[in-house]
Amino acid sequence: MSNRPVIRRPAAAVSAALLVVVALVAGCANDRNGKSDSAGDSGPVAKVTLAPAADAKNVNPTTPVSVTVADGTIDQIALTNASGKQVAGELAPDRRSYKTTEALGYDGSYTWSGTATGVDRKPVPIGGTFGTLAPKNAVPATINVADNQEVGIAAPIILQFKASVPNKAAVENAINVTTNPPTEGAWAWLPDDNGGSRLHWRPKDYWVPGTTVQVTAKLYGLDLGAGNYGYTDLTSEFRIGRSQIVKANAPSHRMQVVRDGQTVFDFAVSYGEGNEPRNVTRSGVHVVTEKYEDFMMSNPPFYTNVRERWAVRISNNGEFIHANPESLSAQGASNVTNGCINLSPGDAQAYFPTALYGDPVEVTGTSIQMSAADGDLYDWTIDWNTWKGLSALDDSSAPGISAAPVAPGPPR
């Protein structure tokens, strides 16, 4: 599913070293009568402090950047990049300090320009150049839930990175999840089997309907390890919708849809035949991830490019809830499918518009339990203590999770 998280695209940055530039004045001057006045009589000169220091190298682009002036005020000031573009900033009301208000860019050169005037009423130049660090790679990441999206009560929060992340604890410390009402939950690192590291957050139990969720990931400028740094900050604000749970008991040959505690549908269905592992509908908590009014299913060598209607994906091993007229005579009486949950066209069409990303589908009564081998969203098959042990911030010795390859095509 597509993601549209709010992404801050940084412009520039800094590190914290200090340089003091002091303008010196002559010790004395003669008046017309041959008398001398000390320089101190006219007041002290402006003392300028730059952070980071002039000529600083490898400055992290998120480090605060500032200029402060003692014994004087700032007249003019600007920080520009190598292309001459000015970095946004703000001058304090007393004109004694200035700070940038946007992050800097990676591998950039930045130059101060301007003047300050001391109590002695003499100008002092503001100048200096520094450079920001150049990461081996700036690694993008995505959030699975978009802004303002409404999701089901089993929806996890997933951050998918485009490369492996060695500094996992640093990443967890950089992310904040705020919920209303407060919700107990935890992060877990799952195997890097999607092209990079992935971090999942889920509540201990299903979400309370109506919960609002805000995710803030301060990843830009973050050292991910192995010379890699975060590409952007990510945010997402979304809402948990109504409670809808699909109860799917294979021996009963039926499927109930329970919304806010009330059974709204009770369908005759057919599950996987179960005569061999490949066509066993997996038991456990599945999660709705996608849905298609029309979907071309393939499961070579058994079938290829078969058009199915009202298809709701519930795992990445190819399990769907979908219409199948060919199994109509078995629905409600026996299990004959290749692993999917088959409904009549009318029942499938009635269920289809009610399904949300994140709805739980609780399958019971089959011979094989859902696991990491069945795709990348098996969060609810892991018990809570084990889940917490998969956090980089948890000192427990809970075992890790390994994933077997996912079957290439969806059962029908």
Side-chain angles (χ1 to χ4, degrees):
M1 69 186 282
S2 62
N3 296 308
R4 295 182 293 104
V6 175
I7 298 180
R8 182 179 64 161
R9 301 193 179 277
V14 199
S15 163
L18 302 179
L19 173 71
V20 176
V21 179
V22 180
L24 300 177
V25 297
C28 60
N30 291 329
D31 62 15
R32 287 182 299 176
N33 297 320
K35 296 181 180 181
S36 64
D37 293 324
S38 70
D41 291 343
S42 59
V45 299
K47 301 176 180 65
V48 178
T49 301
L50 306 179
D55 301 322
K57 307 295 183 185
N58 296 318
V59 174
N60 189 292
T62 63
T63 304
V65 180
S66 66
V67 172
T68 57
V69 176
D71 298 325
T73 56
I74 296 171
D75 298 321
Q76 297 178 349
I77 192 165
L79 180 68
T80 55
N81 64 17
S83 300
K85 182 180 178 181
Q86 187 169 329
V87 179
E90 61 182 13
L91 184 64
D94 63 4
R95 305 185 68 85
R96 294 180 182 274
S97 63
Y98 175 88
K99 64 180 180 181
T100 57
T101 54
E102 62 178 329
L104 306 184
Y106 288 124
D107 194 18
S109 177
Y110 294 88
T111 302
W112 288 108
S113 60
T115 58
T117 299
V119 177
D120 64 352
R121 298 184 181 179
K122 295 181 179 179
V124 171
I126 298 173
T129 299
F130 63 89
T132 55
L133 64 85
K136 178 181 177 181
N137 292 296
V139 177
T142 55
I143 296 180
N144 64 317
V145 185
D147 271 334
N148 302 314
Q149 186 175 350
E150 184 174 83
V151 299
I153 60 173
I157 300 165
I158 302 174
L159 267 69
Q160 177 68 58
F161 291 85
K162 297 299 184 182
S164 182
V165 176
N167 290 347
K168 291 179 168 58
V171 170
E172 287 188 55
N173 281 322
I175 307 173
N176 187 51
V177 177
T178 304
T179 67
N180 185 20
T183 304
E184 182 180 1
W187 290 107
W189 292 90
L190 301 184
D192 290 17
D193 53 9
N194 285 343
S197 292
R198 57 192 173 112
L199 180 61
H200 290 218
W201 191 99
R202 74 162 175 89
K204 180 180 179 181
D205 303 304
Y206 291 155
W207 293 100
V208 173
T211 298
T212 57
V213 185
Q214 181 181 59
V215 184
T216 303
K218 296 290 188 180
L219 301 178
Y220 180 69
L222 184 67
D223 183 356
L224 304 180
N228 294 337
Y229 282 76
Y231 179 70
T232 56
D233 292 344
L234 301 176
T235 65
S236 182
E237 296 184 25
F238 59 94
R239 180 179 181 274
I240 309 302
R242 78 290 175 270
S243 170
Q244 180 162 296
I245 304 171
V246 171
K247 302 283 189 178
N249 179 255
S252 73
H253 316 302
R254 301 198 70 84
M255 182 189 96
Q256 291 80 36
V257 179
V258 181
R259 188 180 307 148
D260 297 324
Q262 301 297 315
T263 300
V264 294
F265 297 117
D266 188 346
F267 298 130
V269 301
S270 182
Y271 296 88
E273 184 175 3
N275 60 329
E276 53 184 299
R278 70 168 184 83
N279 62 22
V280 174
T281 305
R282 283 7 185 194
S283 286
V285 179
H286 300 61
V287 178
V288 170
T289 55
E290 300 174 301
K291 60 182 185 179
Y292 306 89
E293 291 187 14
D294 287 278
F295 192 76
M296 301 302 292
M297 293 191 182
S298 296
N299 189 11
F302 307 104
Y303 56 88
T304 302
N305 291 330
V306 176
R307 180 184 182 229
E308 301 292 6
R309 295 277 289 160
W310 313 114
V312 176
R313 184 188 290 276
I314 60 173
S315 82
N316 273 1
N317 73 353
E319 291 171 309
F320 284 78
I321 300 171
H322 68 89
N324 189 354
E326 294 182 15
S327 68
L328 193 59
S329 62
Q331 292 167 22
S334 60
N335 295 326
V336 299
T337 82
N338 277 287
C340 289
I341 303 174
N342 287 181
L343 292 77
S344 71
D347 288 348
Q349 186 175 3
Y351 164 66
F352 183 87
T354 75
L356 276 182
Y357 176 87
D359 282 347
V361 177
E362 300 174 352
V363 178
T364 56
T366 71
S367 60
I368 299 178
Q369 292 292 312
M370 188 179 181
S371 70
D374 296 301
D376 58 10
L377 215 171
Y378 52 93
D379 301 26
W380 294 97
T381 69
I382 303 172
D383 70 86
W384 183 241
N385 286 333
T386 300
W387 180 268
K388 291 191 296 181
L390 298 176
S391 165
L393 301 178
D394 192 324
D395 293 330
S396 69
S397 56
I401 302 295
S402 60
V406 176
R412 175 170 176 257

